[in-house]
Amino acid sequence: MTQPAPDRLKFTTIAHATHRYLSPLSAEKATRLVDGLALREGAEVLDIGCGRAGFLLDLCERSPANGLGVDINSTFIAAARAEASRRGLDARVRLVDRALADVVGDAARFDAIVCMGSSQALGTFVEALAWAYAHLAPGGVALFADGFWRRRPDPGYLEALGGATEDEMNTHAGNTRLAREAGFRVLSTACASEDEWDAYEGRYCAAIERYVDANPTDPDTPAMAARIRAWHEAYLTWGRDTLGFGFYTLMKPAAHGL
């Protein structure tokens, strides 16, 4: 008998319980990305869909910026607040468990905007780029992370992704072109490595399998076990060679021109 789909919020909260970042990103690469933003003292940074705020906290620890992290997952935000307190960043980092539209008004402007794989909170990647451009001060910087196809996806992989379609994502070069078409200057790009993908997916799988093993009486356990095993099989069969993850460091021009 087919298991019902597990609760998505519960599943993702458990699956990411041991992740520092909610994306295939190593601490070494995160440091390079933070340094590439070149933030000045007092810069105001917005992190959209910040999750447990690992990247935002690292950013504010390494640079003299102030951060606002927004995510609808209250469990993630509670963990992020505890970590911010542990690091002594309470005075410079505000963490909010509400929808972005309830926190950031139309007139708000930031020196930097970070979106590490949560562009769906704003719609499509194109819509997310447009939103960020409108909410950046002139000369401001943005760091977007988003998926891309490394090769044409197999129909079986699209089905495993829940009925995804090939046109839902672009290529790495295509994502970069979309950023330029949105008005940004592209400062640099990077991609998740196979090691970063394996580390991310390994933690994701292990967290659910350990939860399932430790909580056999949870009524959601059968559905969670079925989902993670199908997901990991799809990753090994298709995803590892097909799905890429790009990091795009962008700048809103301070003035119109070349």
Side-chain angles (χ1 to χ4, degrees), residues 52-68:
R52 296 162 62 89
F55 187 84
L56 181 63
L57 294 176
D58 285 354
L59 182 153
C60 289
E61 196 167 58
R62 190 169 176 83
S63 67
N66 301 312
L68 168 61

Side-chain angles (χ1 to χ4, degrees), residues 116-217:
M116 302 298 284
S118 298
S119 59
Q120 69 273 10
L122 295 164
T124 65
F125 186 52
V126 169
E127 289 169 333
L129 289 168
W131 190 95
Y133 193 91
H135 286 81
L136 274 174
V141 290
L143 174 60
F144 269 87
D146 216 275
F148 65 88
W149 297 128
R150 295 176 64 186
R151 67 178 187 182
R152 188 170 187 175
D154 187 279
Y157 187 43
L158 294 175
E159 183 179 352
L161 292 175
T165 57
E166 186 176 345
D167 61 3
E168 287 182 27
M169 286 196 298
N170 214 314
T171 63
H172 184 45
N175 281 346
T176 305
R177 283 194 295 271
L178 291 175
R180 289 197 171 102
E181 290 169 4
F184 287 104
R185 292 177 181 168
V186 177
L187 302 183
S188 66
T189 66
C191 296
S193 67
E194 289 187 345
D195 283 348
E196 286 170 317
W197 267 121
D198 285 342
Y200 172 83
E201 292 289 349
R203 286 181 177 273
Y204 191 82
C205 181
I208 295 293
E209 289 287 12
R210 288 184 173 128
Y211 179 87
V212 165
D213 189 63
N215 297 274
T217 61

